[in-house]
Amino acid sequence: MISSNKLVAAICLAISGGLVAEFVKPQMPEGSNPGQMTMISAGIGLVVGWRVMGRRAGRSGAVELGLVGVVSMVFWGLLMFGLIEMLRLAMRRRLDEPVEALERAITVSMEYGLYLLHPTVLVTLAVSAVVSGHFTNFAARRWG
């Protein structure tokens, strides 16, 4: 069901996901192809904002709500990019066994996680958590 807090949370995390992806791109190695990283990250933020933050709005503090949303977005984003890379390598027949494919997905997810440790990215995640939490809780109080 559509509610204002779900909509606000989805928009906030979609913007946050897109911004974080744009700040991660310069941290990636030279010659790597980020592809549709910004759109995928924004899409993950949209879904996580709707499903995770939107449901919890009004029942917890703004900072807590924002942190839960951003951590969930980062987790699902890292998992998604690991799986995308695994599928890309599997389609090129570079992986021999399913276990090797899962190991590669986890390795890529961890590598992408290291890109998030840059100060610009960390500050963006922290600020977006606070702002998203406050906007979502405001929408839940005002229109929910």
Side-chain angles (χ1 to χ4, degrees), residues 8-39:
V8 168
I11 291 170
C12 286
L13 279 190
I15 292 169
S16 299
L19 278 175
V20 168
E22 286 299 317
F23 288 141
V24 164
K25 285 179 184 179
Q27 310 311 317
M28 296 176 74
E30 188 72 30
S32 61
N33 181 13
Q36 296 293 322
M37 179 185 271
T38 303
M39 295 306 292

PDB file of all heavy atoms in Angstrom, residues 8-39:
ATOM      1  N   VAL A   8       8.691   8.748   0.584  1.00  0.00           N
ATOM      2  CA  VAL A   8       9.800   9.636   0.961  1.00  0.00           C
ATOM      3  C   VAL A   8      11.064   8.817   1.216  1.00  0.00           C
ATOM      4  O   VAL A   8      12.158   9.186   0.767  1.00  0.00           O
ATOM      5  CB  VAL A   8       9.420  10.493   2.189  1.00  0.00           C
ATOM      6  CG1 VAL A   8      10.618  11.196   2.767  1.00  0.00           C
ATOM      7  CG2 VAL A   8       8.344  11.497   1.815  1.00  0.00           C
ATOM      8  N   ALA A   9      10.938   7.700   1.917  1.00  0.00           N
ATOM      9  CA  ALA A   9      12.103   6.853   2.192  1.00  0.00           C
ATOM     10  C   ALA A   9      12.696   6.314   0.894  1.00  0.00           C
ATOM     11  O   ALA A   9      13.920   6.289   0.725  1.00  0.00           O
ATOM     12  CB  ALA A   9      11.709   5.708   3.111  1.00  0.00           C
ATOM     13  N   ALA A  10      11.840   5.891  -0.028  1.00  0.00           N
ATOM     14  CA  ALA A  10      12.321   5.357  -1.299  1.00  0.00           C
ATOM     15  C   ALA A  10      13.062   6.421  -2.101  1.00  0.00           C
ATOM     16  O   ALA A  10      14.132   6.155  -2.660  1.00  0.00           O
ATOM     17  CB  ALA A  10      11.149   4.804  -2.105  1.00  0.00           C
ATOM     18  N   ILE A  11      12.521   7.621  -2.149  1.00  0.00           N
ATOM     19  CA  ILE A  11      13.175   8.701  -2.899  1.00  0.00           C
ATOM     20  C   ILE A  11      14.505   9.074  -2.254  1.00  0.00           C
ATOM     21  O   ILE A  11      15.521   9.240  -2.947  1.00  0.00           O
ATOM     22  CB  ILE A  11      12.236   9.920  -3.008  1.00  0.00           C
ATOM     23  CG1 ILE A  11      11.057   9.592  -3.925  1.00  0.00           C
ATOM     24  CG2 ILE A  11      12.989  11.148  -3.519  1.00  0.00           C
ATOM     25  CD1 ILE A  11       9.950  10.621  -3.917  1.00  0.00           C
ATOM     26  N   CYS A  12      14.519   9.196  -0.926  1.00  0.00           N
ATOM     27  CA  CYS A  12      15.757   9.565  -0.226  1.00  0.00           C
ATOM     28  C   CYS A  12      16.859   8.535  -0.445  1.00  0.00           C
ATOM     29  O   CYS A  12      18.007   8.898  -0.742  1.00  0.00           O
ATOM     30  CB  CYS A  12      15.492   9.731   1.268  1.00  0.00           C
ATOM     31  SG  CYS A  12      14.599  11.219   1.706  1.00  0.00           S
ATOM     32  N   LEU A  13      16.524   7.255  -0.298  1.00  0.00           N
ATOM     33  CA  LEU A  13      17.567   6.237  -0.466  1.00  0.00           C
ATOM     34  C   LEU A  13      17.952   6.042  -1.926  1.00  0.00           C
ATOM     35  O   LEU A  13      19.090   5.670  -2.213  1.00  0.00           O
ATOM     36  CB  LEU A  13      17.140   4.917   0.155  1.00  0.00           C
ATOM     37  CG  LEU A  13      17.317   4.815   1.665  1.00  0.00           C
ATOM     38  CD1 LEU A  13      17.097   3.397   2.149  1.00  0.00           C
ATOM     39  CD2 LEU A  13      18.665   5.295   2.130  1.00  0.00           C
ATOM     40  N   ALA A  14      17.055   6.297  -2.848  1.00  0.00           N
ATOM     41  CA  ALA A  14      17.423   6.229  -4.266  1.00  0.00           C
ATOM     42  C   ALA A  14      18.449   7.315  -4.596  1.00  0.00           C
ATOM     43  O   ALA A  14      19.442   7.050  -5.282  1.00  0.00           O
ATOM     44  CB  ALA A  14      16.186   6.367  -5.144  1.00  0.00           C
ATOM     45  N   ILE A  15      18.216   8.502  -4.086  1.00  0.00           N
ATOM     46  CA  ILE A  15      19.181   9.588  -4.296  1.00  0.00           C
ATOM     47  C   ILE A  15      20.503   9.253  -3.619  1.00  0.00           C
ATOM     48  O   ILE A  15      21.579   9.439  -4.197  1.00  0.00           O
ATOM     49  CB  ILE A  15      18.602  10.931  -3.786  1.00  0.00           C
ATOM     50  CG1 ILE A  15      17.427  11.356  -4.663  1.00  0.00           C
ATOM     51  CG2 ILE A  15      19.681  12.003  -3.741  1.00  0.00           C
ATOM     52  CD1 ILE A  15      16.631  12.520  -4.106  1.00  0.00           C
ATOM     53  N   SER A  16      20.440   8.722  -2.401  1.00  0.00           N
ATOM     54  CA  SER A  16      21.659   8.353  -1.679  1.00  0.00           C
ATOM     55  C   SER A  16      22.431   7.268  -2.421  1.00  0.00           C
ATOM     56  O   SER A  16      23.661   7.346  -2.535  1.00  0.00           O
ATOM     57  CB  SER A  16      21.308   7.839  -0.276  1.00  0.00           C
ATOM     58  OG  SER A  16      20.669   8.833   0.462  1.00  0.00           O
ATOM     59  N   GLY A  17      21.725   6.265  -2.916  1.00  0.00           N
ATOM     60  CA  GLY A  17      22.392   5.200  -3.658  1.00  0.00           C
ATOM     61  C   GLY A  17      23.075   5.709  -4.912  1.00  0.00           C
ATOM     62  O   GLY A  17      24.201   5.314  -5.227  1.00  0.00           O
ATOM     63  N   GLY A  18      22.406   6.592  -5.626  1.00  0.00           N
ATOM     64  CA  GLY A  18      23.012   7.174  -6.819  1.00  0.00           C
ATOM     65  C   GLY A  18      24.237   8.011  -6.503  1.00  0.00           C
ATOM     66  O   GLY A  18      25.255   7.938  -7.197  1.00  0.00           O
ATOM     67  N   LEU A  19      24.154   8.811  -5.448  1.00  0.00           N
ATOM     68  CA  LEU A  19      25.304   9.634  -5.050  1.00  0.00           C
ATOM     69  C   LEU A  19      26.491   8.781  -4.628  1.00  0.00           C
ATOM     70  O   LEU A  19      27.633   9.055  -5.017  1.00  0.00           O
ATOM     71  CB  LEU A  19      24.916  10.561  -3.893  1.00  0.00           C
ATOM     72  CG  LEU A  19      24.198  11.844  -4.247  1.00  0.00           C
ATOM     73  CD1 LEU A  19      23.772  12.577  -2.985  1.00  0.00           C
ATOM     74  CD2 LEU A  19      25.089  12.734  -5.086  1.00  0.00           C
ATOM     75  N   VAL A  20      26.225   7.771  -3.830  1.00  0.00           N
ATOM     76  CA  VAL A  20      27.310   6.903  -3.370  1.00  0.00           C
ATOM     77  C   VAL A  20      27.966   6.206  -4.561  1.00  0.00           C
ATOM     78  O   VAL A  20      29.192   6.109  -4.619  1.00  0.00           O
ATOM     79  CB  VAL A  20      26.782   5.884  -2.333  1.00  0.00           C
ATOM     80  CG1 VAL A  20      27.806   4.795  -2.070  1.00  0.00           C
ATOM     81  CG2 VAL A  20      26.435   6.596  -1.036  1.00  0.00           C
ATOM     82  N   ALA A  21      27.175   5.758  -5.506  1.00  0.00           N
ATOM     83  CA  ALA A  21      27.748   5.107  -6.697  1.00  0.00           C
ATOM     84  C   ALA A  21      28.640   6.076  -7.470  1.00  0.00           C
ATOM     85  O   ALA A  21      29.712   5.690  -7.945  1.00  0.00           O
ATOM     86  CB  ALA A  21      26.632   4.579  -7.591  1.00  0.00           C
ATOM     87  N   GLU A  22      28.210   7.320  -7.584  1.00  0.00           N
ATOM     88  CA  GLU A  22      29.035   8.303  -8.297  1.00  0.00           C
ATOM     89  C   GLU A  22      30.337   8.599  -7.546  1.00  0.00           C
ATOM     90  O   GLU A  22      31.362   8.860  -8.170  1.00  0.00           O
ATOM     91  CB  GLU A  22      28.254   9.601  -8.507  1.00  0.00           C
ATOM     92  CG  GLU A  22      27.183   9.489  -9.571  1.00  0.00           C
ATOM     93  CD  GLU A  22      27.747   9.147 -10.942  1.00  0.00           C
ATOM     94  OE1 GLU A  22      28.784   9.716 -11.339  1.00  0.00           O
ATOM     95  OE2 GLU A  22      27.144   8.296 -11.614  1.00  0.00           O
ATOM     96  N   PHE A  23      30.304   8.546  -6.213  1.00  0.00           N
ATOM     97  CA  PHE A  23      31.529   8.770  -5.446  1.00  0.00           C
ATOM     98  C   PHE A  23      32.424   7.542  -5.409  1.00  0.00           C
ATOM     99  O   PHE A  23      33.623   7.648  -5.149  1.00  0.00           O
ATOM    100  CB  PHE A  23      31.200   9.217  -4.022  1.00  0.00           C
ATOM    101  CG  PHE A  23      30.661  10.618  -3.941  1.00  0.00           C
ATOM    102  CD1 PHE A  23      29.637  10.937  -3.066  1.00  0.00           C
ATOM    103  CD2 PHE A  23      31.167  11.627  -4.731  1.00  0.00           C
ATOM    104  CE1 PHE A  23      29.131  12.218  -2.985  1.00  0.00           C
ATOM    105  CE2 PHE A  23      30.682  12.907  -4.679  1.00  0.00           C
ATOM    106  CZ  PHE A  23      29.661  13.211  -3.794  1.00  0.00           C
ATOM    107  N   VAL A  24      31.869   6.363  -5.647  1.00  0.00           N
ATOM    108  CA  VAL A  24      32.669   5.133  -5.663  1.00  0.00           C
ATOM    109  C   VAL A  24      33.403   4.973  -6.987  1.00  0.00           C
ATOM    110  O   VAL A  24      34.516   4.458  -7.020  1.00  0.00           O
ATOM    111  CB  VAL A  24      31.769   3.899  -5.370  1.00  0.00           C
ATOM    112  CG1 VAL A  24      32.455   2.606  -5.747  1.00  0.00           C
ATOM    113  CG2 VAL A  24      31.381   3.873  -3.906  1.00  0.00           C
ATOM    114  N   LYS A  25      32.811   5.426  -8.061  1.00  0.00           N
ATOM    115  CA  LYS A  25      33.416   5.242  -9.392  1.00  0.00           C
ATOM    116  C   LYS A  25      34.859   5.729  -9.478  1.00  0.00           C
ATOM    117  O   LYS A  25      35.710   5.018 -10.031  1.00  0.00           O
ATOM    118  CB  LYS A  25      32.559   5.912 -10.462  1.00  0.00           C
ATOM    119  CG  LYS A  25      31.298   5.153 -10.784  1.00  0.00           C
ATOM    120  CD  LYS A  25      30.494   5.884 -11.840  1.00  0.00           C
ATOM    121  CE  LYS A  25      29.186   5.190 -12.117  1.00  0.00           C
ATOM    122  NZ  LYS A  25      28.387   5.913 -13.125  1.00  0.00           N
ATOM    123  N   PRO A  26      35.211   6.904  -8.940  1.00  0.00           N
ATOM    124  CA  PRO A  26      36.619   7.324  -9.018  1.00  0.00           C
ATOM    125  C   PRO A  26      37.553   6.458  -8.168  1.00  0.00           C
ATOM    126  O   PRO A  26      38.759   6.447  -8.404  1.00  0.00           O
ATOM    127  CB  PRO A  26      36.604   8.761  -8.483  1.00  0.00           C
ATOM    128  CG  PRO A  26      35.209   9.217  -8.593  1.00  0.00           C
ATOM    129  CD  PRO A  26      34.366   8.005  -8.473  1.00  0.00           C
ATOM    130  N   GLN A  27      37.016   5.726  -7.201  1.00  0.00           N
ATOM    131  CA  GLN A  27      37.841   4.882  -6.341  1.00  0.00           C
ATOM    132  C   GLN A  27      38.188   3.547  -7.005  1.00  0.00           C
ATOM    133  O   GLN A  27      39.091   2.855  -6.569  1.00  0.00           O
ATOM    134  CB  GLN A  27      37.119   4.587  -5.016  1.00  0.00           C
ATOM    135  CG  GLN A  27      36.563   5.783  -4.294  1.00  0.00           C
ATOM    136  CD  GLN A  27      37.553   6.911  -4.155  1.00  0.00           C
ATOM    137  OE1 GLN A  27      38.716   6.675  -3.839  1.00  0.00           O
ATOM    138  NE2 GLN A  27      37.113   8.129  -4.395  1.00  0.00           N
ATOM    139  N   MET A  28      37.464   3.214  -8.050  1.00  0.00           N
ATOM    140  CA  MET A  28      37.676   1.938  -8.724  1.00  0.00           C
ATOM    141  C   MET A  28      38.971   1.977  -9.530  1.00  0.00           C
ATOM    142  O   MET A  28      39.432   3.044  -9.923  1.00  0.00           O
ATOM    143  CB  MET A  28      36.474   1.621  -9.617  1.00  0.00           C
ATOM    144  CG  MET A  28      35.192   1.434  -8.830  1.00  0.00           C
ATOM    145  SD  MET A  28      33.764   1.164  -9.857  1.00  0.00           S
ATOM    146  CE  MET A  28      34.082  -0.505 -10.381  1.00  0.00           C
ATOM    147  N   PRO A  29      39.564   0.798  -9.770  1.00  0.00           N
ATOM    148  CA  PRO A  29      40.829   0.760 -10.523  1.00  0.00           C
ATOM    149  C   PRO A  29      40.674   1.305 -11.937  1.00  0.00           C
ATOM    150  O   PRO A  29      39.594   1.250 -12.524  1.00  0.00           O
ATOM    151  CB  PRO A  29      41.181  -0.734 -10.561  1.00  0.00           C
ATOM    152  CG  PRO A  29      40.250  -1.422  -9.664  1.00  0.00           C
ATOM    153  CD  PRO A  29      39.132  -0.507  -9.336  1.00  0.00           C
ATOM    154  N   GLU A  30      41.763   1.801 -12.457  1.00  0.00           N
ATOM    155  CA  GLU A  30      41.790   2.338 -13.816  1.00  0.00           C
ATOM    156  C   GLU A  30      41.438   1.241 -14.820  1.00  0.00           C
ATOM    157  O   GLU A  30      41.915   0.125 -14.730  1.00  0.00           O
ATOM    158  CB  GLU A  30      43.201   2.864 -14.129  1.00  0.00           C
ATOM    159  CG  GLU A  30      43.312   3.612 -15.416  1.00  0.00           C
ATOM    160  CD  GLU A  30      42.646   4.964 -15.353  1.00  0.00           C
ATOM    161  OE1 GLU A  30      42.602   5.563 -14.273  1.00  0.00           O
ATOM    162  OE2 GLU A  30      42.161   5.406 -16.406  1.00  0.00           O
ATOM    163  N   GLY A  31      40.546   1.566 -15.731  1.00  0.00           N
ATOM    164  CA  GLY A  31      40.154   0.613 -16.753  1.00  0.00           C
ATOM    165  C   GLY A  31      38.948  -0.241 -16.403  1.00  0.00           C
ATOM    166  O   GLY A  31      38.466  -0.992 -17.231  1.00  0.00           O
ATOM    167  N   SER A  32      38.471  -0.134 -15.165  1.00  0.00           N
ATOM    168  CA  SER A  32      37.286  -0.924 -14.814  1.00  0.00           C
ATOM    169  C   SER A  32      36.045  -0.240 -15.379  1.00  0.00           C
ATOM    170  O   SER A  32      35.992   0.977 -15.521  1.00  0.00           O
ATOM    171  CB  SER A  32      37.167  -1.091 -13.301  1.00  0.00           C
ATOM    172  OG  SER A  32      37.027   0.158 -12.678  1.00  0.00           O
ATOM    173  N   ASN A  33      35.055  -1.038 -15.693  1.00  0.00           N
ATOM    174  CA  ASN A  33      33.836  -0.533 -16.306  1.00  0.00           C
ATOM    175  C   ASN A  33      32.699  -0.623 -15.291  1.00  0.00           C
ATOM    176  O   ASN A  33      32.179  -1.710 -15.052  1.00  0.00           O
ATOM    177  CB  ASN A  33      33.512  -1.329 -17.564  1.00  0.00           C
ATOM    178  CG  ASN A  33      32.268  -0.828 -18.255  1.00  0.00           C
ATOM    179  OD1 ASN A  33      31.762   0.248 -17.944  1.00  0.00           O
ATOM    180  ND2 ASN A  33      31.781  -1.604 -19.192  1.00  0.00           N
ATOM    181  N   PRO A  34      32.297   0.506 -14.698  1.00  0.00           N
ATOM    182  CA  PRO A  34      31.220   0.440 -13.698  1.00  0.00           C
ATOM    183  C   PRO A  34      29.852   0.163 -14.308  1.00  0.00           C
ATOM    184  O   PRO A  34      28.914  -0.190 -13.592  1.00  0.00           O
ATOM    185  CB  PRO A  34      31.257   1.811 -13.032  1.00  0.00           C
ATOM    186  CG  PRO A  34      31.932   2.699 -13.991  1.00  0.00           C
ATOM    187  CD  PRO A  34      32.842   1.849 -14.817  1.00  0.00           C
ATOM    188  N   GLY A  35      29.716   0.308 -15.608  1.00  0.00           N
ATOM    189  CA  GLY A  35      28.452   0.002 -16.274  1.00  0.00           C
ATOM    190  C   GLY A  35      27.302   0.851 -15.752  1.00  0.00           C
ATOM    191  O   GLY A  35      27.399   2.067 -15.687  1.00  0.00           O
ATOM    192  N   GLN A  36      26.251   0.204 -15.358  1.00  0.00           N
ATOM    193  CA  GLN A  36      25.046   0.879 -14.863  1.00  0.00           C
ATOM    194  C   GLN A  36      25.040   0.976 -13.344  1.00  0.00           C
ATOM    195  O   GLN A  36      23.987   0.865 -12.720  1.00  0.00           O
ATOM    196  CB  GLN A  36      23.816   0.114 -15.349  1.00  0.00           C
ATOM    197  CG  GLN A  36      23.650   0.103 -16.840  1.00  0.00           C
ATOM    198  CD  GLN A  36      23.340   1.492 -17.359  1.00  0.00           C
ATOM    199  OE1 GLN A  36      22.608   2.256 -16.742  1.00  0.00           O
ATOM    200  NE2 GLN A  36      23.910   1.831 -18.496  1.00  0.00           N
ATOM    201  N   MET A  37      26.194   1.173 -12.744  1.00  0.00           N
ATOM    202  CA  MET A  37      26.310   1.178 -11.288  1.00  0.00           C
ATOM    203  C   MET A  37      25.383   2.203 -10.635  1.00  0.00           C
ATOM    204  O   MET A  37      24.738   1.908  -9.624  1.00  0.00           O
ATOM    205  CB  MET A  37      27.756   1.448 -10.868  1.00  0.00           C
ATOM    206  CG  MET A  37      27.955   1.503  -9.365  1.00  0.00           C
ATOM    207  SD  MET A  37      29.614   1.947  -8.909  1.00  0.00           S
ATOM    208  CE  MET A  37      30.345   0.340  -8.862  1.00  0.00           C
ATOM    209  N   THR A  38      25.289   3.375 -11.183  1.00  0.00           N
ATOM    210  CA  THR A  38      24.463   4.425 -10.586  1.00  0.00           C
ATOM    211  C   THR A  38      22.989   4.039 -10.607  1.00  0.00           C
ATOM    212  O   THR A  38      22.292   4.171  -9.595  1.00  0.00           O
ATOM    213  CB  THR A  38      24.681   5.760 -11.314  1.00  0.00           C
ATOM    214  OG1 THR A  38      26.074   6.080 -11.273  1.00  0.00           O
ATOM    215  CG2 THR A  38      23.882   6.866 -10.671  1.00  0.00           C
ATOM    216  N   MET A  39      22.523   3.544 -11.735  1.00  0.00           N
ATOM    217  CA  MET A  39      21.109   3.178 -11.840  1.00  0.00           C
ATOM    218  C   MET A  39      20.772   1.971 -10.963  1.00  0.00           C
ATOM    219  O   MET A  39      19.710   1.934 -10.338  1.00  0.00           O
ATOM    220  CB  MET A  39      20.746   2.886 -13.292  1.00  0.00           C
ATOM    221  CG  MET A  39      20.849   4.102 -14.187  1.00  0.00           C
ATOM    222  SD  MET A  39      19.902   5.523 -13.609  1.00  0.00           S
ATOM    223  CE  MET A  39      18.260   4.917 -13.844  1.00  0.00           C
TER     224      MET A  39
END
